[in-house]
Amino acid sequence: MILEFLVKVLAFIGVISILVTVHELGHFLVARLCGVRVLVFSIGFGKRICGFKKNGIEYIIAAIPLGGYVSMLDEKESASKQAEIPSNLARGAALNEMSFLAKCSILLAGPMANFLLAIVLYWFLFVVGVGGPKPIVGEILESSKAEESGLAYGDQFVSVGKTEVRTWEGFIHAFVDAVLDEDEAEVEVITVKGERKGKIINLFGVSLDEVSEEGPFEVLGFRPKVIELEALIDKVIGGSPAQNAGFKPGDRVRSINGNLVESWSDFTQIVGSNAGNELLVVLEREGDQVDVLVTPETVQRGANKYGKVGVTVDLSEVWATETYGFISAGKLAFEKTAQMSVMTLKFLWKLINLEASPKNLSGPIGIANYAGESVKLGFFELLKFMAVVSISLGVINLLPIPMLDGGHLLYYSLELAIGKPLSEKFRQFGMQLGLIMLASLFLVATYNDILKLNY
């Protein structure tokens, strides 16, 4: 329990620190490019933990890892601050002295850096291959939306709306997008006979809250198909206990130590629980019975130990891996980032219109929990999680709320419209209002996280 808690905390700090660093680095680099004098580059808020000063810029790591900031020279303090900078170092202009375009570029650079990071992460994932179970329909409940739409057992989803789906993860993202946007979803499936068919799923009355609380499968009234794979060896890893024992591709496992093996899950369960113990395995090979002795090697996974012999099963019928070339992966990564950004905006609009409950918001505890679970699922899952959070961070920072980048953009736009700087009193009021709004959202999200932990 303590180890799991530490993993979640460390994963949260690691993910947030990376995303905040990327965000603030966007502001920092474009500010320097525009000739603005940067005073402080901070990762985190609150008390300074450590840091250093170089070329008149102070680089800080602070105690609270929930954000960061880049402090730039203001025209009111320009003369005094410039005087503090040694003559041999480059001096810069105050942010307020810059053109409207330059100020907007500096502010937009932070969110754009987060979107760019998401594109890079998705790009990498699409190149190396993103795997997941194929979206194949299992049991269908009577009088459900799935039954009404004509879905049948064994149908495999090909697309939802205009979005192609290859895995259940892709299906869920596309389905949530459809719920946010339409009263019906056009889907295309491949039937068990191999025919492509289009179907319409009625989403009238389906809310995001319902999908969030019950799950998409419960809302639609079907379950993903449960597929028990045969214990048929697909590959034998070189130098593994299985190769040394004489396993060969195409072998079918019939029994282990006299226990009948009917599926791949039976095989992995017995092998996994017998790390270091010699096993008598009965194989069927080209119609003949072959007996082999194998001792599973010990593999450490967290605090637990498992047995492994070094064989794989053919997952092609139930598992899809999205692998693309470098150029096509880049295009898909851009489209994926755009899709997730639009979904986030739709969700926020539903919140504002009171069409979605604030219960769907997640705060630091929820993010930490998801980060910890992603770490347990593997490196690629963690990268996918980072991409999603990076997109959310980018979108939220563009909202026209004082204290956020979007709020500052609103200020600059108002100043351009009225032709003079906003009063200090107006700015202070806006900052206080923004602080109240953000603190309220933070408290609601954290409260939701605590409630979910109690469940």
Side-chain angles (χ1 to χ4, degrees):
M1 182 67 73
I2 295 177
L3 179 61
E4 184 177 357
F5 173 76
L6 287 174
V7 167
K8 289 181 179 180
V9 170
L10 292 174
F12 170 77
I13 293 174
V15 167
I16 294 299
S17 296
I18 291 171
L19 300 185
V20 167
T21 300
V22 167
H23 181 93
E24 300 305 334
L25 194 60
H27 291 311
F28 176 82
L29 293 175
V30 176
R32 296 295 302 273
L33 186 65
C34 292
V36 174
R37 183 70 202 176
V38 176
L39 305 175
V40 181
F41 182 98
S42 177
I43 302 303
F45 296 119
K47 187 176 180 181
R48 179 183 187 273
I49 296 177
C50 62
F52 62 93
K53 198 165 187 176
K54 185 177 180 181
N55 294 338
I57 303 172
E58 192 172 7
Y59 298 88
I60 295 173
I61 294 179
I64 305 173
L66 295 177
Y69 62 91
V70 174
S71 177
M72 301 175 216
L73 191 67
D74 186 276
E75 62 184 2
K76 296 176 182 177
E77 54 186 4
S78 180
S80 60
K81 289 292 183 182
Q82 292 283 24
E84 296 174 8
I85 302 168
S87 58
N88 63 319
L89 298 180
R91 300 186 179 190
L95 177 62
N96 300 39
E97 298 170 349
M98 305 305 294
S99 67
F100 175 75
L101 182 60
K103 288 187 285 190
C104 289
S105 298
I106 293 168
L107 288 172
L108 288 171
M112 292 304 111
N114 285 123
F115 294 137
L116 181 60
L117 175 62
I119 291 172
V120 170
L121 291 175
Y122 281 132
W123 199 333
F124 172 75
L125 290 168
F126 285 134
V127 168
V128 300
V130 180
K134 291 182 179 181
I136 303 175
V137 177
E139 178 188 356
I140 296 177
L141 304 181
E142 292 184 6
S143 303
S144 64
K145 292 185 178 296
E147 185 181 58
E148 292 170 3
S149 69
L151 285 173
Y153 181 88
D155 283 351
Q156 179 180 329
F157 289 102
V158 176
S159 65
V160 177
K162 296 180 180 179
T163 305
E164 180 183 347
V165 297
R166 298 190 183 187
T167 64
W168 278 123
E169 181 183 6
F171 170 82
I172 292 171
H173 283 161
F175 176 70
V176 170
D177 193 23
V179 170
L180 287 168
D181 208 29
E182 304 289 346
D183 287 332
E184 62 181 26
E186 296 183 16
V187 301
E188 186 177 12
V189 300
I190 298 177
T191 68
V192 290
K193 295 181 180 179
E195 302 172 332
R196 281 185 174 248
K197 289 188 176 181
K199 301 180 185 294
I200 303 292
I201 300 177
N202 179 20
L203 299 178
F204 182 77
V206 176
S207 67
L208 182 64
D209 294 348
E210 188 179 0
V211 174
S212 176
E213 291 173 7
E214 299 182 19
F217 305 131
E218 287 73 12
V219 169
L220 292 174
F222 74 86
R223 295 185 178 90
K225 185 178 179 181
V226 178
I227 300 176
E228 281 289 357
L229 296 169
E230 294 181 279
L232 185 66
I233 307 300
D234 180 48
K235 294 179 182 178
V236 180
I237 299 172
S240 66
Q243 186 186 53
N244 296 333
F247 281 74
K248 293 184 178 181
D251 287 349
R252 190 183 304 275
V253 182
R254 288 304 187 187
S255 68
I256 301 177
N257 285 355
N259 298 307
L260 187 64
V261 174
E262 296 181 333
S263 66
W264 183 253
S265 61
D266 289 343
F267 173 74
T268 56
Q269 191 276 326
I270 295 173
V271 170
S273 59
N274 281 279
N277 299 323
E278 187 177 63
L279 301 174
L280 173 61
V281 182
V282 177
L283 304 171
E284 180 184 316
R285 183 180 299 162
E286 297 179 352
D288 297 326
Q289 178 177 306
V290 179
D291 297 346
V292 297
L293 291 172
V294 64
T295 302
E297 62 183 352
T298 302
V299 177
Q300 190 79 32
R301 295 178 185 170
N304 301 315
K305 295 180 179 179
Y306 298 88
K308 180 181 177 181
V309 296
V311 293
T312 64
V313 67
D314 183 9
L315 296 172
S316 60
E317 292 186 7
V318 297
W319 192 268
T321 301
E322 297 181 82
T323 305
Y324 302 91
F326 189 78
I327 302 299
S328 56
K331 179 176 178 292
L332 283 168
F334 181 84
E335 292 174 352
K336 180 76 171 179
T337 301
Q339 178 197 11
M340 297 298 291
S341 300
V342 171
M343 280 181 61
T344 305
L345 283 171
K346 288 177 183 176
F347 166 68
L348 291 172
W349 183 245
K350 293 276 186 180
L351 277 178
I352 294 170
N353 287 341
L354 303 180
E355 295 179 33
S357 169
K359 291 188 292 184
N360 292 292
L361 290 171
S362 287
I365 297 174
I367 295 173
N369 187 52
Y370 295 139
E373 293 300 317
S374 298
V375 168
K376 289 195 290 185
L377 290 172
F379 178 66
F380 291 157
E381 289 300 320
L382 179 61
L383 293 186
K384 282 194 278 186
F385 172 73
M386 284 181 62
V388 172
V389 179
S390 190
I391 291 168
S392 298
L393 184 61
V395 171
I396 290 171
N397 265 280
L398 288 174
L399 297 179
I401 299 174
M403 292 190 69
L404 298 179
D405 296 329
H408 290 294
L409 282 170
L410 178 62
Y411 280 167
Y412 292 143
S413 298
L414 289 174
E415 289 178 345
L416 181 68
I418 64 177
K420 64 179 181 179
L422 297 171
S423 69
E424 192 63 29
K425 187 176 180 181
F426 182 86
R427 283 179 172 275
Q428 287 298 325
F429 173 76
M431 294 295 282
Q432 292 170 1
L433 180 62
L435 179 61
I436 293 171
M437 293 173 68
L438 293 176
S440 300
L441 285 173
F442 178 84
L443 291 173
V444 169
T446 303
Y447 177 71
N448 290 341
D449 292 342
I450 294 171
L451 288 181
K452 290 171 186 176
L453 288 177
N454 289 335
Y455 291 138

